[in-house]
Amino acid sequence: MPPRRHAAGHFPTVREVLRLPVLAEGMPRVLAGESRLDSPVRWVHVTELLNPADFLEGGELILTTGVPHPENASELRGYVDQLSDVGAAGLIVELGYRYQKVPQELVAACRARDVPLVELARGVRFIDVTQTVHALILDAQGALLRRGRDIQDIFTALTLRGADPEALVHTTAELTGAPVVLEDLTHRVLMCELLGRPYEPVVSAWSRRSRAAPTPERITPSGPEGWLIAPVQDHHGPWGRLVLLEDRLSAEPDPEHVLVLERAAIALTMARLAGQAWWERRAHRSVLRDLYERRFRSPADARARAEALGLPTLGHRLFAVVIRHPYTGTEGEHLDERIAKALTHTGVRTLVGETAPGRIGVLMALAQASAWQPVAERIGRLAREELGPRAVVAVGPGVTDLGGIARSWQEAEQTAEAITPASPERWFYVPADVRLPELLGILREDTRLQRYAERQLTRLIEHDDRNSGDLLPALRAYLAAAGNKSVAAKRAGMSRQAYYQRLHTIERLLGCDLESGLERTSLHVAVLVLDAGEAAAEGARE
């Protein structure tokens, strides 16, 4: 985790002001409001008025001798309530003029409203205090203005370059040193940059925690965890929120963090207004690929990220589905969006995204008692409707924990890869549907298989090439008929006598006995390897 640093334009806190030599010589002692000593001081105000709130805007540190303070306890409470309501940074009372000791009623009132209360046992020159602190504040304001210009330049450059939303979220986290989450209006985490932190503690139970943090009118800590939140818009109005998770709770946000969050939210809004945004699909793709490639550091991280995106995992069976389609390049863009929209009408909870060129991944979560086959058939029908008759849907084994989904995904991918036009036509396929022809289709690039097929069939192929013969088709028909010569002759469209003559020639050329089951199996494997290679080449030409 990167160390926390003070941002440029850091305003001095109450704690830091009390450590300044100009105040330290007054022997300051904190009597109340210890939890708010890290609040920033935006000005120092010397006043003896009983209604100072009329002249304050928030963040001021009040210096007073207490001369006009009332004796009445309720009026003292009213005085402290004014300071608290306006957001004063704290109250410093110098002893010796009115008080030899700060009255307990004033201490109790400040403790009740958590207002920092400090007594000065020795007198100090208030003008020296104001000059010293105001110099620090003005320096911070100047630095903040300069830093603000730098931040604006950074996000302007990203916008002009057409940076993707991931880059904008990443830049926000880098500039603030804090985790950043981009969510939509339904509180699904579409993108996040956690700066190396694990997902589980940051995004676990995200929807519930996010709903507890409303969007304030200006960027101030919101909700029980003190998040900083900026709205993101699109053509239709509010679209989502950019959330900065500070490392610590504070009544006042870091002003530089506020600037960064504001500029980032504007850049994200402009990105959405610039054209069609596929951010939800990008988020789905990212999570699906991370699951397939096992990039999550733990099952808890994977579960938290998937649930933050809206997919329930606990108490559900999870199925990896791979949709293979023939479209690539620009014609294959946003096909996953079409599948996702079609699936929304089924009521099935899914993540849908392109996992590779020509591949769409679907991760579906079903209640334990639900039958998965009808859902898989619906996905198969939708895939055919949206992607055409050549779309192939393969379903991996169901798992009850995301830790096993990568294996399920690999089996679904291998199944989708194995299915050929010669395979039995089904709405969806499972690993058990991969038979010998499909298996050899998967292994067709293995040079050992290729050499095997060449050794077995070369003489036959060369004979056909020289003589425009049909021995290979005759052998293929014989093997498909499981050695039944009459059936094979009919399928080959030959008389029995002519067909038997061809079988005799095949035996002579290959030096084999076609009555042997082992010989037929060996030749059948070789023919299937040859056919798989030709089918792949034909598919590539199409």
Side-chain angles (χ1 to χ4, degrees):
M1 183 182 300
R4 182 176 175 82
R5 60 176 177 80
H6 281 316
H10 166 71
F11 288 88
T13 65
V14 177
R15 191 188 309 276
E16 291 167 341
V17 168
L18 295 179
R19 291 173 179 167
L20 293 172
V22 72
L23 267 175
E25 68 182 24
M27 299 178 62
R29 185 164 71 100
V30 179
L31 304 178
E34 292 85 350
S35 65
R36 295 191 60 235
L37 291 180
D38 290 317
S39 299
V41 176
R42 301 186 181 279
W43 204 247
V44 177
H45 197 65
V46 180
T47 180
E48 303 293 354
L49 297 175
L50 283 178
N51 58 340
D54 294 341
F55 305 94
L56 304 178
E57 296 181 353
E60 293 89 352
L61 185 60
I62 307 301
L63 299 180
T64 180
T65 62
V67 170
H69 286 181
E71 300 285 349
N72 185 282
S74 64
E75 291 182 1
L76 272 178
R77 286 195 298 272
Y79 173 75
V80 172
D81 287 342
Q82 289 184 58
L83 298 182
S84 179
D85 292 342
V86 79
L91 175 65
I92 297 180
V93 179
E94 185 182 81
L95 303 180
Y97 290 92
R98 167 70 185 277
Y99 302 124
Q100 298 304 311
K101 178 182 179 182
V102 175
Q104 191 57 40
E105 293 82 1
L106 182 58
V107 175
C110 287
R111 286 178 178 170
R113 295 301 301 268
D114 201 22
V115 173
L117 173 63
V118 179
E119 70 171 18
L120 296 178
R122 293 178 180 174
V124 299
R125 283 168 50 88
F126 281 1
I127 190 170
D128 292 342
V129 175
T130 58
Q131 287 178 342
T132 301
V133 179
H134 288 171
L136 294 174
I137 292 171
L138 292 173
D139 283 346
Q141 289 175 335
L144 187 60
L145 287 173
R146 292 189 295 273
R147 183 59 176 156
R149 288 194 294 269
D150 292 341
I151 292 168
Q152 182 173 355
D153 290 344
I154 290 170
F155 283 104
T156 298
L158 288 170
T159 299
L160 293 177
R161 197 168 67 231
D164 56 38
E166 291 91 345
L168 295 172
V169 171
H170 176 78
T171 301
T172 305
E174 285 287 306
L175 290 173
T176 59
V180 176
V181 169
L182 178 65
E183 64 170 13
D184 63 12
L185 287 182
T186 61
H187 302 281
R188 292 178 299 178
V189 175
L190 298 190
M191 296 164 201
C192 53
E193 175 55 69
L194 307 185
L195 299 175
R197 296 166 172 81
Y199 283 98
E200 198 274 333
V202 178
V203 302
S204 180
W206 178 265
S207 178
R208 173 181 55 78
R209 293 160 59 205
S210 179
R211 292 177 191 280
T215 306
E217 292 185 3
R218 65 185 183 91
I219 298 179
T220 56
S222 177
E225 298 179 61
W227 293 349
L228 298 184
I229 300 172
V232 177
Q233 311 279 328
D234 66 5
H235 295 87
H236 306 291
W239 169 85
R241 308 193 303 177
L242 188 63
V243 181
L244 180 71
L245 287 74
E246 292 273 25
D247 290 338
R248 60 186 174 85
L249 287 172
S250 174
E252 287 291 331
D254 188 313
E256 182 180 331
H257 289 186
V258 172
L259 284 175
V260 171
L261 203 61
E262 287 175 341
R263 293 300 175 185
I266 291 171
L268 287 165
T269 295
M270 293 179 67
R272 290 199 65 82
L273 294 175
Q276 184 74 48
W278 308 95
W279 293 3
E280 180 181 355
R281 206 55 44 223
R282 296 169 71 105
H284 284 212
R285 292 174 193 168
S286 175
V287 171
L288 291 176
R289 291 172 183 173
D290 286 348
L291 287 170
Y292 178 73
E293 297 174 14
R294 303 176 191 263
R295 288 202 289 247
F296 287 104
R297 66 176 70 186
S298 69
D301 264 16
R303 184 168 54 251
R305 183 68 184 94
E307 290 180 345
L309 195 49
L311 185 80
T313 59
L314 296 178
H316 289 72
R317 292 183 72 200
L318 306 167
F319 292 86
V321 181
V322 172
I323 304 174
R324 192 188 81 197
H325 61 81
Y327 305 106
T328 57
T330 56
E331 64 178 354
E333 290 181 354
H334 310 310
L335 294 179
D336 51 357
E337 183 70 20
R338 288 163 53 183
I339 293 294
K341 286 183 178 179
L343 283 174
T344 57
H345 303 298
T346 68
V348 180
R349 305 289 289 277
T350 60
L351 300 181
V352 182
E354 182 186 61
T355 54
R359 296 290 187 275
I360 296 173
V362 179
L363 177 57
M364 61 181 183
L366 302 177
Q368 293 279 13
S370 299
W372 63 270
Q373 293 89 342
V375 180
E377 181 176 330
R378 266 186 285 175
I379 294 176
R381 291 178 182 275
L382 288 172
R384 296 280 181 86
E385 292 172 6
E386 296 292 335
L387 307 178
R390 293 173 60 192
V392 173
V393 174
V395 184
V399 299
T400 56
D401 189 277
L402 272 178
I405 202 65
R407 178 182 55 81
S408 176
W409 213 287
Q410 289 170 348
E411 293 196 41
E413 176 65 40
Q414 291 169 357
T415 302
E417 180 68 20
I419 299 303
T420 69
S423 301
E425 186 172 346
R426 295 189 175 95
W427 290 115
F428 65 91
Y429 299 87
V430 296
D433 293 323
V434 177
R435 303 165 303 156
L436 181 59
E438 287 80 19
L439 177 62
L440 294 176
I442 295 175
L443 302 175
R444 64 179 178 271
E445 300 298 332
D446 191 311
T447 56
R448 293 169 296 180
L449 272 179
Q450 294 170 358
R451 285 196 298 270
Y452 172 80
E454 284 291 317
R455 284 196 302 267
Q456 293 288 321
L457 302 173
T458 292
R459 290 184 179 180
L460 209 61
I461 295 170
E462 290 176 349
H463 180 277
D464 281 352
D465 289 343
R466 286 195 306 268
N467 302 286
S468 300
D470 54 4
L471 294 183
L472 184 59
L475 176 61
R476 187 180 285 112
Y478 178 75
L479 297 172
N484 188 316
K485 297 177 182 177
S486 299
V487 172
K490 184 179 293 186
R491 289 180 177 176
M494 300 180 189
S495 68
R496 290 187 182 182
Q497 183 177 1
Y499 188 73
Y500 292 167
Q501 182 60 40
R502 283 170 173 76
L503 292 181
H504 177 71
T505 304
I506 290 171
E507 288 180 322
R508 178 176 57 81
L509 286 172
L510 300 183
C512 66
D513 178 8
L514 292 179
E515 296 295 328
S516 166
L518 181 59
E519 295 275 14
R520 286 204 306 269
T521 300
S522 299
L523 289 172
H524 205 169
V525 169
V527 169
L528 289 173
V529 171
L530 184 67
D531 290 346
E534 291 178 352
E538 182 65 26
R541 286 193 292 271
E542 292 180 0

